[in-house]
Amino acid sequence: MKPALNHTVTAALLMLGSLLAGCDNKNANAYAIKVGVINGAEQDVAEVAKKVAKEKYGLDVELVGFSGSLLPNEPTAHGDLDANVFQHRPFLEQDNKAKGTSLVAVGNTFVFPIAGYSKKIKRISELKDGDTLAIPNDPTNLGRALLLLNKEKLIALKPNTGLLPTALDITANPRRLKIIEIEAAQLPRALDDAQVTVAIINTTYIQQTGLNPVRDSVFIEDKQSPYVNIIVTRADNKDAANVHDFIRAYQSPEVAAAAEKIFNGGAVVGW
């Protein structure tokens, strides 16, 4: 009887092993992608892309959330993630240079626009010679604000200044505007300063005021902004089918509608 029991146990173990192996093979063969996102509203948008990817392309999307100083680029570079969605091209370029990585942009998502806001004027034509404009003082948002002023023809910048111009790169200021640099987090308060006509504020800080970038700004970045957010992957993975289908799922009407609601008009479609 004892040997018979051993045979029964052995057979059961073999069957269990076969079932587990079958599960492993199923998982290994699943059409899937692992994507890094930032916790919060951006992940909420990505959840809609996840649903679209499954329904339209049969793609299983696993979203991995990050917060604080932990960002998805290094796990993407090391192959722990297939792609990520959280940054714009200037950030990617700086991060690649700093870390010696070679991640690439494969698709646009949204512009979270920097824009000029005012409690004193409604249109740019109402701006007067000598008015004061408050802009962010950190290098990225300072450069971004100056590029926006250049786009609106309020100033002119040296040719080929790149994405990080400074006040030293201003070659013309025909309206003799006074441009003051303030910490980005303090710019919403500058709207109540009697001396400041326009403050250029990014989406992160304007949200706390209840203002809507599209409806309430005097002037704003558009979808052509170099600061459009992007989907990023490794260079050797950029043509993968799962990456391609995730891009299609993200760049869908369903995701655009979700972002409009989640960001209260603060996300401009970038594709």
Side-chain angles (χ1 to χ4, degrees), residues 94-114:
Q94 290 179 341
D95 205 52
N96 272 336
K97 185 179 295 185
K99 296 174 181 173
T101 51
S102 55
L103 297 174
V104 296
V106 289
N108 290 352
T109 62
F110 297 94
V111 180
F112 296 97
I114 200 167

Side-chain angles (χ1 to χ4, degrees), residues 202-243:
N202 62 27
T203 303
T204 300
Y205 296 111
I206 202 60
Q207 286 179 331
Q208 68 195 38
T209 69
L211 294 175
N212 180 290
V214 174
R215 293 194 299 267
D216 300 320
S217 61
V218 179
F219 49 87
I220 188 172
E221 284 180 319
D222 58 22
K223 66 185 293 182
Q224 304 304 323
S225 169
Y227 290 90
V228 61
N229 276 25
I230 49 180
I231 298 169
V232 168
T233 188
R234 298 180 306 283
D236 63 358
N237 197 44
K238 64 184 179 64
D239 296 320
N242 60 349
V243 172

Side-chain angles (χ1 to χ4, degrees), residues 1 23 30 50 132 137 147 159 164 180 197 269:
M1 295 296 291
C23 290
K50 174 179 177 177
T132 296
N137 65 0
L147 289 170
L164 295 173
I180 60 173
T197 305
V269 171

Side-chain angles (χ1 to χ4, degrees), residues 1 7 11-12 17 23-24 28 36 57 85 94 136 158 160 170 173 176 183 189 207 224 226 232 265:
M1 295 296 291
H7 286 310
C23 290
D24 286 342
Y57 309 114
V85 187
Q94 290 179 341
K158 292 176 184 175
N160 304 315
I170 298 174
N173 182 358
R176 300 186 303 281
E183 185 180 347
R189 296 182 184 179
Q207 286 179 331
Q224 304 304 323
V232 168

Side-chain angles (χ1 to χ4, degrees), residues 1-9:
M1 295 296 291
K2 191 173 182 179
L5 180 62
N6 284 343
H7 286 310
T8 302
V9 172

Side-chain angles (χ1 to χ4, degrees), residues 34-126:
K34 187 181 289 189
V35 181
V37 295
I38 301 301
N39 292 328
E42 292 184 42
Q43 182 165 353
D44 293 341
V45 173
E47 289 286 354
V48 180
K50 174 179 177 177
K51 183 179 179 182
V52 173
K54 182 64 175 177
E55 291 176 351
K56 291 188 177 180
Y57 309 114
L59 176 65
D60 291 317
V61 179
E62 179 184 348
L63 297 175
V64 181
F66 290 76
S67 61
S69 60
L70 297 174
L71 296 174
N73 274 349
E74 287 192 60
T76 304
H78 295 153
D80 299 316
L81 298 173
D82 299 300
N84 67 58
V85 187
F86 79 97
Q87 64 199 310
H88 48 56
R89 280 182 173 81
F91 182 92
L92 176 63
E93 290 174 8
Q94 290 179 341
D95 205 52
N96 272 336
K97 185 179 295 185
K99 296 174 181 173
T101 51
S102 55
L103 297 174
V104 296
V106 289
N108 290 352
T109 62
F110 297 94
V111 180
F112 296 97
I114 200 167
Y117 300 87
S118 178
K119 292 187 177 180
K120 302 172 182 68
I121 65 173
K122 296 292 185 183
R123 293 176 292 276
I124 198 169
S125 60
E126 298 172 23

